[in-house]
């Protein structure tokens, strides 16, 4: 009787090893995309968001909205943020991939079981995109809302780097 139990355990252990090897080979084939692939995916997604936002920004312009006023800039930024959030969250929740992921046949997968991610995980991931983009956006927002400075007869928007270094970019001539 003891011999039968040992043989069953050996058989089970051998099966577990086979499954581990198969999963190990599968894991090697499913490695993370390269940096170039990530860049292309990001660029395609950026174009998709830009196209989605362009209609709303065109309506602001058609309705005589002046982008030189702070209120219009803030409204435009809010529109872009909301549309990009919905684009990223909904495409990943509904089909597990954004337009940038589709040509490469990548998809968002839940870490537990590689299935479709839960909506709350997708929302956290989408919020993480905005947190990661925040340092880049600080400089852009600074340039958009900062005062102009006078250098000679020419007025320039002062960039963040210009304010720190006390250097401005001048045209050749």
């Amino acid at each position: 009787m003891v011999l039968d139990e040992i043989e069953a355990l050996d058989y089970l252990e051998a099966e577990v090893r086979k499954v581990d090897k198969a999963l190990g080979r599968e894991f090697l084939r499913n490695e993370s995309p390269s940096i170039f692939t990530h860049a292309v995916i990001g660029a395609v997604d950026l174009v998709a968001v830009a196209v989605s936002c362009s209609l709303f920004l065109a309506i602001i312009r058609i309705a005589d909205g002046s982008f030189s006023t702070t209120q219009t800039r803030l409204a435009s930024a809010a529109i872009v943020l909301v549309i990009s959030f919905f684009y990223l969250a909904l495409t990943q929740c509904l089909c597990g991939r954004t337009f940038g992921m589709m040509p490469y046949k990548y998809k968002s997968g839940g870490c537990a079981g590689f299935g479709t991610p839960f909506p709350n995980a997708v929302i956290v991931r989408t919020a993480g995109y905005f947190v990661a983009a925040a340092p880049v956006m600080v400089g852009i927002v600074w340039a958009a809302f900062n005062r102009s400075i006078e250098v000679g007869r020419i007025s320039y928007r002062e960039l963040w780097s210009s304010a720190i270094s006390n250097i401005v970019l001048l045209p050749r001539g």
Side-chain angles (χ1 to χ4, degrees), residues 108-153:
S108 297
C111 290
F114 298 103
T116 304
F118 294 113
N120 59 350
V122 171
I123 299 294
V124 170
R125 179 183 172 128
T126 303
Y129 287 146
F130 288 101
V131 170
V136 173
M137 295 308 296
V138 166
I140 293 171
V141 169
W142 178 283
F145 292 102
N146 196 20
R147 62 178 167 72
S148 296
I149 60 170
E150 299 289 329
V151 177
R153 292 177 282 138

Side-chain angles (χ1 to χ4, degrees), residues 1 21 24 27 31 47 63 65 67 72 76-77 86 89 112 115 129 132-134 137 142 160-161:
M1 246 183 180
K21 285 181 184 179
F27 181 72
E31 290 180 359
V47 168
F67 287 104
T72 307
S76 301
F86 279 119
Y129 287 146
M137 295 308 296
W142 178 283
W160 198 14
S161 57

Side-chain angles (χ1 to χ4, degrees), residues 32-53:
S32 179
S34 68
I35 296 294
F36 176 75
T37 304
H38 275 290
V40 171
I41 289 171
V44 170
D45 289 338
L46 188 63
V47 168
V49 168
V51 168
S52 300
C53 294

Side-chain angles (χ1 to χ4, degrees), residues 56-76 79:
F56 295 99
L57 297 178
I59 290 171
I60 289 174
R61 186 68 184 133
I62 290 170
D64 291 330
S66 173
F67 287 104
S68 62
T69 63
T70 303
Q71 290 175 336
T72 307
R73 287 183 191 169
L74 289 174
S76 301
I79 287 170

